[in-house]
Amino acid sequence: MASMSLTTAVVILAALFIGLPVAVALATSGLVLSYLFVDRSMLGIFGQMPWNVVTSTTIVAVPLFVLMGELLARSGISEQMYAAVGRLLNRLPGGLLHTNVVASGVFAAVCGSSVATAATICSVSVPPLRRRGYNESLALGSIAAGGTLGILIPPSVMFIVYGVLVEESIGELYIAGIVPGLLMIVVFMAIIFVMALYRPNIAPRGEIQPLTSKGRWKLLLSVIPTCFLIFLVLGTIYLGVATATEAAAFGVSGALVISGFMRTISIRMISSAILATAATTSMIVFILIGAFSLQFVITYLGLPAALSNWVTGLGLSPLQFIILICVTYFLLGTFMEELSMVVTTIPIILPMLHELHVNLVWFGVIMVIQVQLALISPPVGMNLFVIQSIRTKLPNGPKNMTMGEIFVGVTPFVVGMLIVLALIIMFPELATWHDLK
């Protein structure tokens, strides 16, 4: 068994190290291990894996939520929403930095993608931040951190992937992510508030104009489309009217209505959104096919059961095991892409979670927060590279724009994420409140 475990680890790491795409690396690892250790008569199961994945009704939610996000990113709703939130939060110390976080949270609730959230808010927010003389390092850090809310605040594609892997209800996971997501926003805003109080020059206060009655109505009208879409997706799930897949279909319909209302819909816009959706969905589905192929092989070999028995023999409590997993995920996040990190580890640790009777919905929230950290952890944090790419193309930027500035700016928010993670671990009810009897 030790030789099988070592071979498995070497094959997977070697496949990723030589630069194979994640899906190919996972599937190749499964094939190599099956060739070495599995009876040849079992190899036919690999032909069934793609069919089992793509015919899952849960997977249908992935392209629908991705399409909804792509339509919204092209509808112009993000600019309107950012201006409205900025007007409401302008009085707070930190000004537009708070707007970055709150707007990211709101956009996340209608998008479900971290990268899309970070890219959209970055494009909208950086020009006014530069005009008003904000500290660019901290501003970019707030955008990068706010962008990670796209995979914690539902609807989240990462929750769908996790739910498929562990066979948990997507609706339950979505509801579990609401309170931690709001808590994350509050912690980020508290960090900005304290830093702006002690260093006012990082967020210069602009001229604050009082809101007139007409201005209040205008702000209300500007946020109605977003609230409408949030209700279509989350409200229908929470009220039990729709499953996650049905809610995703409602969301796409709502996004089309909003785009039509804002007069941004066109054949070209819909075509580009569909093509982008196809590319993203194909990547996710291929990764899941590879993950399930590898999961079948390592389960057939008995590796998860052996690891589960080994962990049980160590006498670790569930809390100690969770802390060990969190440290492992934090280290993995510094050099692995977030989706590959999840699909390569969940099949291995799932039997151990069952053995220790860990609530899988609660652990799903913990896992997603770990993925959030990976998105902004140097040197391979995806959000950091997305923001760096966008900021260099926007006007009026500093001459020497380095990744180091973003690393420095995002550090306080990494600390904030660790605080929220600790709170979720200490008080599981923050994620499982809806399941309390």
Side-chain angles (χ1 to χ4, degrees), residues 100-416:
N100 291 343
V101 173
V102 175
S104 294
V106 175
F107 193 77
V110 294
C111 174
S113 167
S114 176
V115 172
T117 300
T120 300
I121 300 302
C122 183
S123 301
V124 173
S125 66
V126 168
L129 288 165
R130 285 175 175 171
R131 284 197 303 268
R132 291 175 54 172
Y134 277 65
N135 180 282
E136 182 142 340
S137 176
L138 187 62
L140 296 171
S142 68
I143 298 169
T148 65
L149 296 168
I151 59 170
L152 180 58
I153 294 179
S156 163
V157 173
M158 189 60 70
F159 270 137
I160 297 177
V161 172
Y162 173 80
V164 170
L165 290 172
V166 303
E167 298 182 351
E168 275 290 339
S169 165
I170 307 301
E172 290 284 317
L173 291 167
Y174 277 178
I175 296 172
I178 294 175
V179 172
L182 295 175
L183 180 60
M184 192 81 73
I185 292 175
V186 171
V187 170
F188 287 168
M189 292 182 69
I191 290 171
I192 293 169
F193 186 88
V194 171
M195 294 184 71
L197 279 181
Y198 282 92
R199 295 176 56 197
N201 61 310
I202 65 174
R205 302 290 293 272
E207 183 181 352
I208 301 175
Q209 298 178 349
L211 273 176
T212 63
S213 178
K214 182 179 178 180
R216 292 190 184 95
W217 278 108
K218 188 176 180 180
L219 281 179
L220 178 62
L221 290 173
S222 65
V223 299
I224 284 177
T226 304
C227 294
F228 165 71
L229 199 56
I230 292 174
F231 173 77
L232 268 183
V233 177
L234 300 184
T236 53
I237 294 175
Y238 184 73
L239 294 173
V241 175
T243 64
T245 303
E246 292 166 342
F250 289 155
V252 172
S253 301
L256 287 170
V257 170
I258 291 173
S259 299
F261 180 77
M262 300 185 70
R263 299 180 180 179
T264 54
I265 194 168
S266 66
I267 297 298
R268 183 176 181 180
M269 178 265 216
I270 294 177
S271 175
S272 62
I274 291 175
L275 288 174
T277 299
T280 302
T281 304
S282 298
M283 176 194 71
I284 294 172
V285 170
F286 275 120
I287 289 175
L288 286 175
I289 291 172
F292 275 108
S293 299
L294 179 61
Q295 183 183 32
F296 166 77
V297 175
I298 63 176
T299 302
Y300 179 83
L301 295 176
L303 295 181
L307 287 172
S308 179
N309 293 333
W310 176 70
V311 171
T312 303
L314 293 176
L316 295 178
S317 68
L319 178 60
Q320 291 171 328
F321 178 72
I322 292 298
I323 293 174
L324 176 62
I325 291 298
C326 286
V327 172
T328 303
Y329 270 145
F330 187 80
L331 296 175
L332 288 176
T334 61
F335 65 89
M336 284 185 74
E337 185 266 338
E338 64 276 4
L339 191 56
S340 62
M341 185 173 71
V342 172
V343 298
T344 55
T345 56
I346 290 299
I348 296 173
I349 67 173
L350 183 58
M352 303 180 225
L353 296 172
H354 284 304
E355 183 72 26
L356 294 171
H357 305 289
V358 173
N359 186 309
L360 293 181
V361 173
W362 171 62
F363 182 77
V365 174
I366 292 173
M367 183 274 300
V368 168
I369 295 176
Q370 293 286 348
V371 172
Q372 284 183 283
L373 285 165
L375 284 165
I376 57 174
S377 296
V380 296
M382 182 62 72
N383 279 14
L384 307 181
F385 288 99
V386 169
I387 289 172
Q388 174 69 0
S389 174
I390 293 174
R391 71 183 288 226
T392 56
K393 299 174 184 176
L394 296 173
N396 304 321
K399 293 182 179 179
N400 299 315
M401 293 184 280
T402 64
M403 286 288 294
E405 290 179 296
I406 309 180
F407 293 160
V408 172
V410 83
T411 300
F413 301 101
V414 170
V415 175

